[in-house]
Amino acid sequence: MMVSSRKQKFGCVVTGVAGFVGSHLAERLLSMGYSVIGVDNFYSGYRENMVSFKDHPEFTFYERSITDPQLLVQLKERHPELRCCFHLAAIVSVPYSMEHPEETMEVNYTATLNLLKESNQLDFKAFVFAGSAAEYGNEQRLPLYEEYATSATERLSPYGEAKFLASVSVGASPRGVSLRFFNIYGPRQDPRSPYSGVISKFMDLAVQGKPLNIFGDGMQTRDFIYVSDVVDAYIAAAGLQEEDSKPVRDIFTSDRTSHIYNVGTGKTTSVLDLAKSLQQLVGKDESLLFLPERAGDIRHSQASVEAFQKATGWRAKTSLRDGLTKTLQWFMQQGGRDLS
Ligand code: UD1
């Protein structure tokens, strides 16, 4: 059982720490008493995402790229307490990956393999990787079981392909876990970048009183998962626990041959229902603007979450309504801030 005693310092690397999810994960780890070594090169992260913890005594930040050779070895020399790595940094834009397939492979696949190798050399207790639902391409069988993504799956982008290849290597490694995230949303998700999720875009438009843009008929569905549930999943995957809480199940003792797990809610919501729920929450009835379907969009996406629940006991706790409410509060607080 890999549970740290907080009397002995236990450090975690978080790559992509200035990103939307990475910053929430770092915040949680610090609040649990772990020390956090954050890495980001601000390729798509923001310094302001780290405001709440940048001065925490147990936090150290390195402006480095995950492609730097020997990154983890060097960090371990400076921080001997390092025992695990959460690897979230990546090229996250699917359109960018289409235009730069080689760079995407280099950053999202090759760099991941190197970090994994180093974490094995350093005898880390866990290496947890941010996989993606994009690994399933346009798979039609729903819900999506982990086994459905194979080398024969037709993926829609170099982003999806690189994530798949990396997941397979991580999942096969003795202390590696890949979490395939579905559609994550929550505070700090950037609404105005090419890879922005629909919820952050809708929030941004709704608080400005602008119509919500719906691509196609709005009947396409997604499995939306709130960021704090995602953070719970990372913590469970690494076998970390709150002090004094029940011991967590050790994922590495589960009977699966590959530690690749979906992380979603297992429930789906149509884009149209999402837009209507948000309008209700905002209390304004902005019009909906129906635009042509987005090229390359998949129609439906839904995770099977049985495997991860069985391996760790984790389950998503936040309802869509609660998650939207919290996200909306954040967007309202950003009211005066220029997000562009
Ligand atoms: C997400 C990922 C993508 C990944 C895919 C694989 C994001 C932003 N994208 O795409 O990288 O390849 O999962 O599963 O996380 N929509 C609107 N109006 C908008 C924006 C979006 O109607 O203003 C619709 C889209 O057409 C889509 C749905 O909302 O049908 C969800 O879009 P989005 O949030 O971009 O995520 P995915 O398409 O699922």
Side-chain angles (χ1 to χ4, degrees):
M1 172 77 47
M2 182 207 125
V3 170
S4 88
S5 144
R6 232 49 54 75
K7 288 175 195 99
Q8 189 196 338
K9 226 168 144 189
F10 185 108
C12 306
V13 177
V14 176
T15 73
V17 72
F20 158 47
V21 181
S23 61
H24 284 280
L25 175 59
E27 223 165 46
R28 174 78 69 81
L29 289 167
L30 290 165
S31 77
M32 288 172 74
Y34 295 100
S35 76
V36 174
I37 310 304
V39 174
D40 208 295
N41 65 354
F42 300 114
Y43 183 89
S44 55
Y46 297 97
R47 261 179 217 284
E48 61 201 33
N49 285 342
M50 301 193 291
V51 163
S52 66
F53 57 86
K54 71 177 182 21
D55 298 322
H56 192 290
E58 293 298 330
F59 179 68
T60 315
F61 177 70
Y62 290 90
E63 187 171 343
R64 298 279 300 267
S65 166
I66 52 163
T67 57
D68 290 354
Q70 300 288 298
L71 178 65
L72 291 183
V73 170
Q74 290 167 9
L75 294 176
K76 175 83 177 171
E77 275 166 16
R78 290 199 183 191
H79 304 277
E81 75 275 17
L82 279 181
R83 308 283 295 283
C84 86
C85 179
F86 294 97
H87 177 38
L88 285 69
I91 288 175
V92 287
S93 165
V94 172
Y96 184 91
S97 83
M98 305 278 214
E99 285 156 29
H100 304 89
E102 283 166 18
E103 186 189 347
T104 302
M105 274 300 158
E106 186 89 359
V107 176
N108 289 7
Y109 175 55
T110 313
T112 302
L113 284 193
N114 290 336
L115 294 174
L116 178 67
K117 210 164 103 194
E118 286 179 55
S119 91
N120 284 333
Q121 268 168 20
L122 296 167
D123 200 24
F124 276 8
K125 301 296 174 205
F127 180 89
V128 189
F129 171 67
S132 167
E135 295 175 41
Y136 294 102
N138 201 8
E139 173 61 59
Q140 303 288 315
R141 293 170 289 176
L142 294 174
L144 292 159
Y145 284 93
E146 287 81 355
E147 292 69 27
Y148 290 175
T150 69
S151 48
T153 302
E154 198 191 318
R155 270 164 286 271
L156 306 174
S157 64
Y159 171 84
E161 190 60 26
K163 286 282 180 184
F164 171 74
L165 293 173
S167 279
V168 170
S169 299
V170 171
S173 173
R175 308 298 297 184
V177 184
S178 173
L179 301 179
R180 283 187 184 143
F181 294 110
F182 281 65
N183 291 65
I184 309 176
Y185 71 99
R188 297 194 202 127
Q189 190 169 28
D190 183 4
R192 296 190 192 172
S193 74
Y195 56 87
S196 295
V198 63
I199 293 188
S200 64
K201 285 189 170 169
F202 279 4
M203 293 271 168
D204 189 41
L205 294 168
V207 295
Q208 295 181 67
K210 293 186 180 163
L212 308 183
N213 298 328
I214 296 193
F215 300 141
D217 60 7
M219 298 312 286
Q220 65 270 44
T221 59
R222 293 293 184 273
D223 185 336
F224 295 107
I225 178 153
Y226 187 62
V227 66
S228 68
D229 287 324
V230 164
V231 170
D232 289 346
Y234 273 113
I235 303 288
L240 306 181
Q241 64 170 104
E242 302 278 355
E243 220 157 4
D244 302 328
S245 67
K246 261 195 335 211
V248 289
R249 256 174 259 170
D250 185 344
I251 201 167
F252 300 111
T253 60
S254 87
D255 52 7
R256 288 174 75 82
T257 47
S258 171
H259 299 294
I260 301 179
Y261 298 95
N262 289 336
V263 176
T265 62
K267 299 185 188 113
T268 57
T269 306
S270 72
V271 168
L272 192 58
D273 282 345
L274 173 72
K276 288 180 182 160
S277 304
L278 190 58
Q279 286 183 326
Q280 254 184 6
L281 275 182
V282 180
K284 293 186 203 147
D285 236 353
E286 285 81 27
S287 51
L288 303 176
L289 188 60
F290 286 87
L291 298 171
E293 207 172 291
R294 195 169 66 174
D297 245 12
I298 54 167
R299 189 73 177 155
H300 300 294
S301 174
Q302 180 188 16
S304 156
V305 288
E306 284 165 38
F308 194 56
Q309 282 179 2
K310 193 165 161 234
T312 64
W314 170 93
R315 60 182 62 235
K317 293 188 284 227
T318 314
S319 68
L320 185 65
R321 197 181 163 80
D322 286 353
L324 289 178
T325 305
K326 289 181 190 162
T327 309
L328 183 62
Q329 277 165 359
W330 182 82
F331 270 87
M332 311 261 263
Q333 283 161 12
Q334 305 306 301
R337 199 179 105 194
D338 183 6
L339 291 164
S340 58

